[in-house]
């Protein structure tokens, strides 16, 4: 009985050893095949690294502000007897907007003008009688003072009438009407918004390290979602002498022509500030870059002999790069590649270092510095 058990155990151990050996041979054969496996070439498009001259620019986001912009308000209390403007219309400087009731002031003006005329006549008589010593100098001084007082009263009433005759302080475009006919306005009540929009100011900020590059007269271009596909040119007209202590930014103001009034105060715009110097950079398509938290990289296509040595094959070598500014479909590379090298422009995401590739540019995109994609 014991011999049968021992033989069974020995047989089981032998069987396990045989099975383990067979399985080990299979695994070793699979490992050897894996080491000898060469993935098939991937089809990609490629582009040559080129040197380009780019004008130096600074970009920012700004807001539009009217050169002249006010909320027209009433200075004195009075009832509105006439509204002489249409909401949204353009007006000239001095054009009548609103007339308040001035009937009582007009009556007072006639009375004070009569008093002024009487005082003027008395002063002229006093001038004739003073050399004849018919009146004393004090009587002449009294007549002169009465005339000046009457003239001041006339001027005061005329000023009150002028304040109740509300006119446009400058030429511009009106907004929405805030009053109604017959309404009693108190001093400070809002009547209508008036904005001068041609030209128009553009306010934006840049970091303080760019201060040495900025000066009055530099050109700027504006783009806005309100003007799709269009750019508006302007120039820097003012640079704030003080840097914001909270943000360390400097405020800049540019002036832009706005004859069509497509740009309105309060809108935000994208600003490109052109600098006089230019920079020479190495450019590649933006689609060639593999972005990663540790470092960005590209695949460089190199021709190397194959294993047999009888032909050349294209190999993709991963190269880490330091990137610069992005313009259109291209991006500047500050370091990592050389001019004339060939990089994979599309399809880099499916490659690994040292993999063979087949370059086929028949379907390569048309990379441009100023692409204009078609809508829809």
């Amino acid at each position: 009985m014991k011999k049968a058990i021992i033989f069974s155990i020995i047989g089981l151990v032998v069987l396990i050893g045989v099975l383990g050996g067979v399985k080990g041979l299979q695994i070793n054969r699979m490992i050897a095949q894996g080491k000898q496996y060469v993935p098939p070439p991937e089809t990609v498009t490629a582009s040559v690294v080129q040197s380009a001259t780019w004008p130096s620019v600074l970009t920012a986001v700004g807001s539009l502000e009217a050169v002249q912009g006010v909320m027209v308000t009433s200075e004195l209390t009075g009832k509105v007897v006439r509204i002489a403007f249409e909401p949204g219309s353009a007006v000239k400087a001095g054009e009548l907007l609103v007339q308040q009731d001035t009937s009582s002031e007009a009556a007072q003006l006639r009375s004070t003008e009569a008093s002024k005329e009487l005082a003027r006549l008395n002063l002229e008589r006093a001038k004739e009688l003073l050399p004849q010593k018919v009146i004393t100098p004090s009587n002449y001084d009294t007549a002169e003072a009465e005339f000046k007082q009457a003239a001041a009263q006339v001027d005061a009433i005329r000023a009150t009438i002028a304040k109740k005759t509300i006119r446009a302080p400058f030429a511009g475009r009106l907004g929405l009407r805030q009053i109604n006919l017959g309404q009693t306005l108190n001093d400070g009540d809002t009547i209508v918004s008036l904005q001068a929009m041609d030209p128009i100011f553009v306010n934006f900020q840049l970091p303080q390290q760019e201060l040495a590059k900025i000066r009055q007269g530099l050109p700027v271009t504006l783009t806005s979602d309100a003007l799709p596909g269009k750019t508006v040119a302007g120039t820097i007209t003012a640079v704030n002498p003080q840097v914001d202590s909270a943000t360390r930014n400097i405020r800049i103001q540019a002036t832009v022509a706005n004859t069509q009034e497509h740009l309105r105060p309060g809108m935000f715009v994208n600003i490109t500030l052109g600098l006089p110097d230019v920079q020479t950079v190495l450019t590649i398509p933006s689609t060639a870059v593999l972005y990663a938290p540790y470092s960005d990289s590209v695949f460089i296509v190199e021709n190397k002999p194959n294993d047999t040595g009888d032909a050349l094959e294209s190999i993709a070598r991963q190269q880490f790069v330091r990137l610069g500014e992005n313009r259109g479909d291209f991006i500047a590379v500050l370091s990592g590649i050389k001019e004339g090298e060939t990089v994979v422009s599309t399809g880099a995401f499916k490659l690994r270092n040292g993999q063979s590739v087949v370059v086929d540019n028949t379907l390569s995109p048309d990379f441009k510095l100023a692409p204009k994609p078609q809508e829809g």
Side-chain angles (χ1 to χ4, degrees):
M1 186 65 181
K2 292 182 179 180
K3 291 182 179 181
I5 294 175
I6 292 172
F7 288 144
S8 300
I9 294 173
I10 294 173
L12 182 60
V13 171
V14 172
L15 179 61
I16 293 174
V18 172
L19 293 176
V22 172
K23 185 57 67 175
L25 291 174
Q26 292 176 348
I27 293 174
N28 289 333
R29 190 177 295 110
M30 293 173 63
I31 292 174
Q33 291 178 352
K35 291 181 179 179
Q36 296 176 358
Y37 173 76
V38 177
E42 288 285 357
T43 301
V44 296
T45 64
S47 178
V48 178
V49 180
Q50 296 180 348
S51 176
T53 300
W54 285 0
S56 298
V57 296
L58 298 174
T59 58
V61 175
S63 60
L64 301 180
E65 179 184 346
V67 174
Q68 296 282 352
V70 296
M71 293 296 296
V72 181
T73 59
S74 60
E75 294 187 63
L76 299 174
T77 300
K79 184 174 69 173
V80 178
V81 296
R82 182 186 176 192
I83 299 176
F85 68 90
E86 291 293 332
S89 62
V91 295
K92 299 178 181 179
E95 187 172 334
L96 178 64
L97 300 179
V98 174
Q99 179 64 64
Q100 292 178 284
D101 184 16
T102 59
S103 56
S104 60
E105 286 82 1
Q108 294 175 13
L109 179 61
R110 291 191 294 270
S111 174
T112 54
E113 284 180 339
S115 300
K116 176 183 176 182
E117 180 64 19
L118 178 60
R120 184 186 66 80
L121 294 174
N122 291 335
L123 179 61
E124 290 181 353
R125 294 191 188 100
K127 285 181 180 180
E128 295 175 355
L129 296 176
L130 181 61
Q132 302 174 12
K133 297 183 179 181
V134 177
I135 62 172
T136 62
S138 61
N139 291 334
Y140 174 79
D141 293 340
T142 300
E144 185 178 17
E146 289 177 350
F147 172 74
K148 291 181 179 180
Q149 185 177 10
Q153 291 176 353
V154 171
D155 292 340
I157 295 175
R158 286 177 177 171
T160 300
I161 294 175
K163 289 182 179 181
K164 289 189 174 183
T165 305
I166 302 172
R167 300 181 181 275
F170 51 85
R173 186 166 296 278
L174 298 172
L176 302 180
R177 191 183 70 187
Q178 305 292 323
I179 61 170
N180 293 300
L181 193 64
Q183 177 181 347
T184 299
L185 295 178
N186 298 316
D187 54 331
D189 285 353
T190 300
I191 297 174
V192 68
S193 172
L194 176 61
Q195 305 290 326
M197 294 188 294
D198 183 29
I200 194 168
F201 285 149
V202 185
N203 298 322
F204 59 99
Q205 296 184 0
L206 288 173
Q208 65 178 17
Q209 59 263 30
E210 308 293 351
L211 180 59
K213 305 176 184 178
I214 303 168
R215 65 174 184 271
Q216 293 184 8
L218 288 179
V220 297
T221 56
L222 277 64
T223 59
S224 172
D225 52 4
L227 300 173
K230 296 182 180 180
T231 59
V232 183
T235 56
I236 293 179
T237 51
V239 179
N240 197 353
Q242 182 179 4
V243 176
D244 190 339
S245 59
T247 62
R248 308 303 177 188
N249 291 337
I250 185 167
R251 187 178 179 186
I252 304 168
Q253 188 173 81
T255 304
V256 178
N258 189 29
T259 55
Q260 302 297 322
E261 296 186 356
H262 292 313
L263 301 175
R264 298 299 177 97
M267 290 174 56
F268 88 92
V269 291
N270 298 310
I271 302 167
T272 301
L273 169 60
L275 300 177
D277 54 333
V278 296
Q279 53 182 340
T280 302
V281 295
L282 297 178
T283 61
I284 60 174
S286 301
T287 54
V289 181
L290 294 175
Y291 298 95
Y294 52 87
S295 183
D296 304 320
S297 62
V298 298
F299 278 98
I300 298 177
V301 179
E302 298 178 339
N303 294 323
K304 294 183 177 181
N306 58 11
D307 295 337
T308 60
D310 56 354
L312 296 177
E313 63 176 346
S314 298
I315 302 298
R317 176 176 62 84
Q318 190 172 16
Q319 175 66 45
F320 294 105
V321 294
R322 188 162 62 93
L323 303 177
E325 186 181 356
N326 191 311
R327 293 191 186 181
D329 294 331
F330 293 92
I331 190 168
V333 179
L334 304 180
S335 64
I337 59 176
K338 300 178 182 178
E339 184 179 1
E341 291 182 326
T342 302
V343 298
V344 175
S345 57
T346 60
F349 66 93
K350 59 184 178 180
L351 299 179
R352 64 178 183 178
N353 192 28
Q355 185 174 354
S356 61
V357 295
V358 175
V359 177
D360 183 6
N361 287 333
T362 55
L363 297 178
S364 177
D366 185 14
F367 300 106
K368 296 181 179 179
L369 268 177
K372 296 181 179 180
Q374 297 181 355
E375 297 184 0

